[in-house]
Amino acid sequence: MKFCSQCGHSVSQHIPQGDSRLRYVCDHCQTIHYQNPNIVAGCVPTWGTQVLLCRRAIEPRKGFWTLPAGFMENGETVEQAAQRETREEACAEVANLSIYTLIDVPHINQVHIFYRAELLSRDFAAGEESLEVRLFDEADIPWSELAFRTVSRTLECFFADRPGQVYPVRSEAVPPLAGLIKPQQ
Ligand code: ZN
């Protein structure tokens, strides 16, 4: 960060009084610019025994498959964000959302939250950010072509839990990948 979003003057890093971390502070208006993790919300949309995946039309991980998910916006709940992302990326409506995985990705300052959700119909299509959207049986999941580790992990949990029909909420963290310039999320 170089400039204050309030007044446009330069910022510099200080530890404000009573704080313990370096923050960007405006040299002119003294506004402290806090930077906090972003929440990514998504769904595991199901239709019968099949799961809906989207092939990404945008970077990062263009061409790879993902669960519909994206950054939460101000003014919405996490569940609404997950539904909106499913609508935007897969043109699909889901209901009966149940929180399922909460995965911290601290090396990129993100928290990914996925809900299990039921598709209301087979009426879906590729949204702006998708090349292709389709339903997969478990046997056909393209494990080596999944876009993000949080997606792989959520699907692993889902297929492990499904035979027993019990889906405990999973809260875990993804460790950083060593040796990659741009880590997979
Ligand atoms: Zn300022």
Side-chain angles (χ1 to χ4, degrees):
M1 182 170 194
K2 286 184 178 168
F3 301 106
C4 176
S5 56
Q6 295 293 311
C7 76
H9 282 75
S10 59
V11 296
S12 46
Q13 287 197 302
H14 306 285
I15 300 177
Q17 202 170 4
D19 202 340
S20 57
R21 286 174 179 254
L22 276 175
R23 309 286 183 188
Y24 289 105
V25 182
C26 177
D27 298 325
H28 180 70
C29 74
Q30 312 304 322
T31 296
I32 303 169
H33 298 277
Y34 294 99
Q35 294 179 311
N36 301 99
N38 288 309
I39 292 174
V40 170
C43 284
V44 184
T46 55
W47 178 257
T49 59
Q50 296 182 301
V51 172
L52 186 93
L53 297 179
C54 307
R55 202 152 71 85
R56 290 174 62 80
I58 55 169
E59 296 293 351
R61 308 290 284 166
K62 184 178 176 182
F64 287 77
W65 290 91
T66 186
L67 291 165
F71 289 107
M72 188 178 174
E73 299 284 2
N74 290 342
E76 66 185 0
T77 65
V78 187
E79 189 171 318
Q80 286 167 346
Q83 282 179 304
R84 176 182 51 72
E85 289 292 343
T86 305
R87 195 175 298 126
E88 289 175 4
E89 295 182 4
C91 305
E93 293 296 330
V94 285
N96 299 328
L97 277 69
S98 305
I99 189 162
Y100 187 46
T101 55
L102 190 163
I103 307 177
D104 291 289
V105 197
H107 57 286
I108 51 168
N109 306 316
Q110 293 181 2
V111 179
H112 293 201
I113 301 174
F114 287 92
Y115 291 80
R116 293 186 298 112
E118 292 169 14
L119 285 164
L120 290 181
S121 73
R122 290 191 58 134
D123 191 14
F124 55 79
E128 290 263 306
E129 297 180 1
S130 304
L131 295 169
E132 185 183 351
V133 174
R134 56 165 279 205
L135 289 167
F136 286 87
D137 289 313
E138 180 179 358
D140 300 326
I141 297 285
W143 293 103
S144 63
E145 295 166 52
L146 295 178
F148 306 112
R149 284 190 287 164
T150 57
V151 168
S152 314
R153 184 65 192 138
T154 297
L155 288 171
E156 277 170 20
C157 293
F158 180 76
F159 291 117
D161 289 342
R162 191 165 71 172
Q165 290 291 301
V166 178
Y167 300 90
V169 174
R170 313 276 191 139
S171 176
E172 39 190 80
V174 163
L177 281 179
L180 284 186
I181 293 164
K182 194 171 184 186
Q184 186 186 349
Q185 285 176 11

